[in-house]
Amino acid sequence: MDLVAVEPSDEAFLLDLLNTTPVIDGIVHDGLANSADAKTWMRAHGIATTKTEEAALLEARSVLQKVVRGEAGPKALKRFVEDVRLRPVAGADGLDWRVDVDGGASGAARAVLAWDALRISSPGRLRSCANSDCRLFLIDRSKPNTARWCSMAICGNRMKARRHYRRARTGGEL
């Protein structure tokens, strides 16, 4: 049985987390590298700003990036959800599921649960940008599931320009 216990905002949270290591001018930048920036980001995403949360979130981000890129299997995510308990809460429209996490790593658990929800509801739609110089991720929301770049205006344009340049340089062969 597949159970999805995330909110719609958790997809955006996961994508924001994965995309905190962009390449700018050819250099990888980490938006969570220093504690002050990490705490600001965590507050903006509703996560407690404790050292435990910060460490778990950074580790989860690294493992999730590897899983999405195919460099690690989903079993690598197990440690981030071992202390998760789902609690049913009766609401006006039925049952909602609340996530309780022991050990103070709710942000990491939330990211992993969001990844799993996407795996179930939209298989193959969370992926890394096809531009090898880019480290960003995207959720393909196109009907044919053919999006390749994090941004058509930036990475898509660069990749198309590179192909055009190579074709023009080699006399149309490719």
Side-chain angles (χ1 to χ4, degrees):
M1 170 175 88
D2 289 329
L3 176 65
V4 176
V6 295
E7 298 177 12
S9 63
D10 290 336
E11 270 186 21
F13 165 74
L14 171 63
L15 196 57
D16 285 350
L17 178 64
L18 291 172
N19 287 338
T20 56
T21 57
V23 173
I24 301 171
D25 296 327
I27 300 168
V28 177
H29 291 268
D30 187 345
L32 306 177
N34 70 56
S35 200
D37 290 343
K39 284 180 176 23
T40 300
W41 190 93
M42 291 164 68
R43 269 192 293 280
H45 290 84
I47 300 169
T49 57
T50 66
K51 289 284 185 193
T52 302
E53 279 281 3
E54 185 180 337
L57 193 64
L58 291 174
E59 189 177 350
R61 176 190 65 183
S62 176
V63 175
L64 279 162
Q65 287 175 338
K66 289 176 183 173
V67 168
V68 174
R69 287 187 182 113
E71 299 166 0
K75 286 185 180 186
L77 299 168
K78 180 182 177 192
R79 66 181 176 259
F80 303 108
V81 292
E82 286 180 328
D83 296 328
V84 171
R85 290 183 321 282
L86 293 178
R87 182 174 41 93
V89 177
D93 297 326
L95 291 178
D96 284 328
W97 293 94
R98 298 289 184 247
V99 176
D100 291 330
V101 181
D102 292 335
S106 64
R110 181 177 163 200
V112 171
L113 292 172
W115 168 83
D116 191 56
L118 276 169
R119 178 193 63 82
I120 293 167
S121 66
S122 304
R125 291 194 177 258
L126 174 63
R127 61 178 73 106
S128 57
C129 181
N131 179 355
S132 59
D133 296 334
C134 181
R135 292 183 44 92
L136 296 181
F137 295 82
L138 66 127
I139 299 173
D140 184 356
R141 300 191 195 289
S142 69
K143 189 172 183 178
N145 193 20
T146 56
R148 297 178 55 204
W149 301 290
C150 62
S151 164
M152 187 61 201
I154 298 170
C155 285
N157 188 45
R158 284 181 186 154
M159 298 302 289
K160 288 181 176 190
R162 284 179 194 161
R163 278 198 313 264
H164 173 75
Y165 175 76
R166 273 188 255 134
R167 274 195 304 264
R169 198 166 161 226
T170 61
E173 298 173 15
L174 213 161

